[in-house]
Amino acid sequence: MQATEWDHRLVVRADGKNLVGHAGVVLLRRTADRVGLTRALTAALPQGVGPGWRDRGMALVQLACAIVLGARNILQAEQLQHHWRPLFPCPVSDSTLWRTLEAIDGPVVARVERVRAVIRRGVWTLLALRPGGFPWISVCGRKLTNWYVLDLDATLVTCTSKKDGAAGTFNR
């Protein structure tokens, strides 16, 4: 899917050129940086020692983004970071991710929770101060206030069943 600016509207094309999968992760990563979460996590996590140590706050945000992209383990998280070089200009190795996670003990968890609460409160304050308030989702001209919308993609898979009374749909 490619987004282009045309006539003051966002036009989305699916023409097979310059395709981007999981484009929402870009917003997640940029939001973490813009609201100060990445910087605050860097301050909350213990710093590495020795030459060339990596920013552990950045490593944690990149790990979260890799999980959103579908990583189910540390190795997949490292591979996804290399695949998504524009989003992760400095991919973090699996050993750095392990060291980052191992550094999170009880006191660090408490600091991370405080950081998360401060950043969350700041984001909600910004949304409340926004002209027009929180940007609630509109569907068919109706605002869905107090709703949370999860947009999920799905693929229908055709299959057969030899079970007694099995049917293709609820209405047979």
Side-chain angles (χ1 to χ4, degrees), residues 115-129:
V115 160
R116 188 199 58 80
V118 167
I119 297 296
R120 186 172 190 266
R121 188 169 33 253
V123 168
W124 281 104
T125 300
L126 288 173
L127 287 170
L129 294 173

Side-chain angles (χ1 to χ4, degrees), residues 54-167:
R54 301 297 299 272
D55 179 340
R56 288 185 173 165
M58 180 68 72
L60 203 55
V61 168
Q62 290 186 187
L63 176 59
C65 289
I67 291 169
V68 168
L69 287 169
R72 288 180 275 151
N73 58 49
I74 296 293
L75 182 58
Q76 287 179 355
E78 179 188 28
Q79 291 169 343
L80 279 168
Q81 289 178 71
H82 284 284
H83 179 73
W84 279 76
R85 290 293 280 213
L87 184 61
F88 305 114
C90 299
V92 180
S93 69
D94 60 343
S95 57
T96 298
L97 290 171
W98 278 117
R99 282 193 297 275
T100 299
L101 294 174
E102 288 172 351
I104 300 175
D105 57 9
V108 173
V109 167
R111 288 196 304 266
V112 168
E113 279 299 311
R114 282 193 299 274
V115 160
R116 188 199 58 80
V118 167
I119 297 296
R120 186 172 190 266
R121 188 169 33 253
V123 168
W124 281 104
T125 300
L126 288 173
L127 287 170
L129 294 173
R130 179 181 178 272
F134 186 82
W136 293 104
I137 305 295
S138 289
V139 175
C140 297
R142 179 177 171 228
K143 281 189 177 180
L144 300 179
T145 57
N146 299 320
W147 283 56
Y148 293 97
V149 177
L150 299 177
D151 184 10
L152 303 174
D153 292 327
T155 302
L156 296 175
V157 178
T158 305
C159 61
T160 61
S161 174
K162 304 237 186 258
K163 292 181 185 174
D164 188 34

